[in-house]
């Protein structure tokens, strides 16, 4: 196996010192143009790739930003990653995307891995509702920003969407359409997003003069299509079926829609459905899905910018932690349009 080309090999080939090669790589403006061109030609000819791990050891941190999300199978988090990657790339950084799969144990393992790699910082959508993983990670002194979660019990930055408002938007839309018996397909109760959307839904019911009994909650273990199909099957088994369903995300809503379609239940004639996130598949469903839109790309980009502001603060400008809360938007499509 051929040995990797080192900086000494480049210096020898270009007839310069190792320090000059290092300057060409890190501070090219400090090297005369002819010398710089000679070094760059040697780098290209030899195929030299600088050792990021060695640079990282010298600098004490890497040029990699960690991103740990709940579920990379959810297009919402794919869009969050796109936004974060775009902002990081503009700053000359890369993004390492990891998936906790909604597991606190896997989250802890990835956070430990990020600490070992000495990443520049971490964008985190927490899976652990207890906060223990965050507390353990904080000891490493690596900055992090909470994504899709308000930093209520921490001093760190966060970027989130007003999920209470989003839940209220969804239920208000259904109540205004005449629905008085509504199911909430929720997801894991430990997730703040699930609880906040439920809070918003109950608030809208109260504002409409309806009690909490008007909302039937159907929790699921995960926020995916399979769990939505399971919730749909439970709905079909009810002796008195609600006339509308609000789902904590679009994947659940698509699963409910599949279950209704397989059973011959008309959507929205027999059952109206509203989702959350407004992923690309929502508009492309067999019955286009009404959904509460989250600005996912913007969410990821803002989170990355906050992290960059903390790891690369302006001269004489100390970093100030911020909590950014974005507004959701209700996008009405055919799945909820039948009048009652």
């Amino acid at each position: 196996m051929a040995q990797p080309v080192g900086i000494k090999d480049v210096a020898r080939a270009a007839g310069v010192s190792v320090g000059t090669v290092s300057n060409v790589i890190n501070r090219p403006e400090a090297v005369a143009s002819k010398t710089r061109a000679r070094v760059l030609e040697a780098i290209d000819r030899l195929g030299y790739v600088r050792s990021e791990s060695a640079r990282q050891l010298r600098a004490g941190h890497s040029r990699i930003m960690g991103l740990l999300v709940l579920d990379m199978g959810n297009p919402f988090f794919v869009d969050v990653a796109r936004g974060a990657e775009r902002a990081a790339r503009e700053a000359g950084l890369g993004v390492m995307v990891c998936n906790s799969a909604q597991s606190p144990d896997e989250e802890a393992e990835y956070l430990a891995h990020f600490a070992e790699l000495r990443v520049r910082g971490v964008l985190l959508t927490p899976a652990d509702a207890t906060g223990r993983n965050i507390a353990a990670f904080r000891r490493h002194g690596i900055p992090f920003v909470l994504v899709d979660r308000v930093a209520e019990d921490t001093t760190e930055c966060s970027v989130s969407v007003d999920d209470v408002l989003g839940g209220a938007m969804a239920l208000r839309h259904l109540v205004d359409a005449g629905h008085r018996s509504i199911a909430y397909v929720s997801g894991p109760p430990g997730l703040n997003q699930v609880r906040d959307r439920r809070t918003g839904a109950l608030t809208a019911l109260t504002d409409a003069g309806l009690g909490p009994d008007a909302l039937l909650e159907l929790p699921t273990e995960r926020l995916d299509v399979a769990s939505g199909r399971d919730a749909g099957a439970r709905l079909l088994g009810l002796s008195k079926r609600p006339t509308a369903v609000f789902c904590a995300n679009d994947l659940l809503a698509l699963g409910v829609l599949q279950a209704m379609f397989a059973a011959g239940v008309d959507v929205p004639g027999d059952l109206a459905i509203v989702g959350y996130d407004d992923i690309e598949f929502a508009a492309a469903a067999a019955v286009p899905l009404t959904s509460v839109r989250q600005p996912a790309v913007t969410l990821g980009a803002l989170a990355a910018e906050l992290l960059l502001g903390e790891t690369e603060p302006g001269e004489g400008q100390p970093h100030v932690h911020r909590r950014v809360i974005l507004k959701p938007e209700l996008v009405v499509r055919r799945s909820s349009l039948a009048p009652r």
Side-chain angles (χ1 to χ4, degrees), residues 236-311:
L236 291 168
L238 295 175
S239 57
K240 187 177 180 181
R241 188 186 308 157
T243 61
V245 179
F246 168 44
C247 298
N249 76 355
D250 284 342
L251 296 183
L252 290 171
L254 291 171
V256 171
L257 180 60
Q258 288 180 6
M260 297 304 114
F261 185 80
V265 175
D266 179 62
V267 175
D270 297 324
L271 185 75
I273 302 177
V274 175
Y276 205 104
D277 291 339
D278 195 34
I279 62 175
E280 184 178 355
F281 299 132
V287 178
L289 187 66
T290 294
S291 184
V292 178
R293 175 179 293 166
Q294 298 200 83
V297 174
T298 301
L299 197 74
L302 284 175
E305 289 167 7
L306 287 176
L307 188 59
L308 289 167
E310 184 169 359
T311 59

Side-chain angles (χ1 to χ4, degrees), residues 14-60:
V16 298
S17 69
V18 169
T20 298
V21 176
S22 177
N23 281 338
V24 169
I25 295 171
N26 298 296
R27 297 190 301 122
E29 72 282 355
V31 183
S33 58
K34 288 185 178 179
T35 303
R36 186 167 66 244
R38 192 163 73 249
V39 172
L40 291 174
E41 187 278 331
I43 287 173
D44 184 63
R45 174 163 45 86
L46 296 176
Y48 168 74
V49 177
R50 71 174 180 176
S51 171
E52 174 62 19
S53 59
R55 189 212 63 79
Q56 183 174 317
L57 284 171
R58 290 192 299 272

